[in-house]
Amino acid sequence: MATTILVVEDEPAIAELVAVNLSFAGYKVLRAADTIQAETLIRAEQPDLILLDWMLPGSSGVQFAKKLRADDRTRDIPIIMLTARSEEGDKVEGLESGADDYMTKPFSPKELMARIKAVMRRRAPQLTEETVDICGLSLDPSTHRVSGGEQGLDLGPTEFRLLHFFMTHPERVHSRSQLLDQVWGDHVYVEERTVDVHIRRLRQSLSASGHDRHVETVRGSGYRFTARPSSG
Ligand code: CA
């Protein structure tokens, strides 16, 4: 699944330059010239990150960022504000509106990529390609390999994404609906009990190295991946 980035920018030359660079880096790019187009695109497909121009026709980028932060569905989407202004006051206003980072135009494509990676690592670690290691369980997103100790473990694609999400968000309880949003993605109609089926398969795969006990059921709430399992 390619990471989807929504570019909200009304200057065609900048939008084009950014989109070309993002596509070249392997991202899926959605483009909007104003916040109305952006809202339509977000309704159809939830982006993993938004590059948001400050000065847009109609509603400004700052107003739009505040609106996204106020909505449960979009509050967690990382936002990088793009702006031609460089005054310190604006920067503060941009960050207070809920943006995760702030870039002043003109910027180099290299700087843009570095900022995107940094924000994604901070906000959505399950979307990066970095290997995760917890208690001898190791998951490598770039090769799609999972191993427990010395042993290679065989996981289906959904179980792999589920484990990746768990390992990048350990010790927290995730409800079934949160897992559906994060692992299955938005706008996919799947029943909540589907989560239980994949949890069962995940545990089965992890049991080969005894790591199944790290996936805990939290009664009435959901599931948790823990480095300190209470049983076993
Ligand atoms: Ca603009």
Side-chain angles (χ1 to χ4, degrees), residues 5 9 17 58 90 99 137 139 141 163 202 223:
I5 298 185
E9 167 65 77
L17 180 75
D90 292 343
L137 186 63
L139 179 146
L163 182 61
L202 174 61
Y223 296 101

Side-chain angles (χ1 to χ4, degrees), residues 9-11 53 55:
E9 167 65 77
D10 61 317
E11 288 155 75
D53 184 30
M55 292 296 283

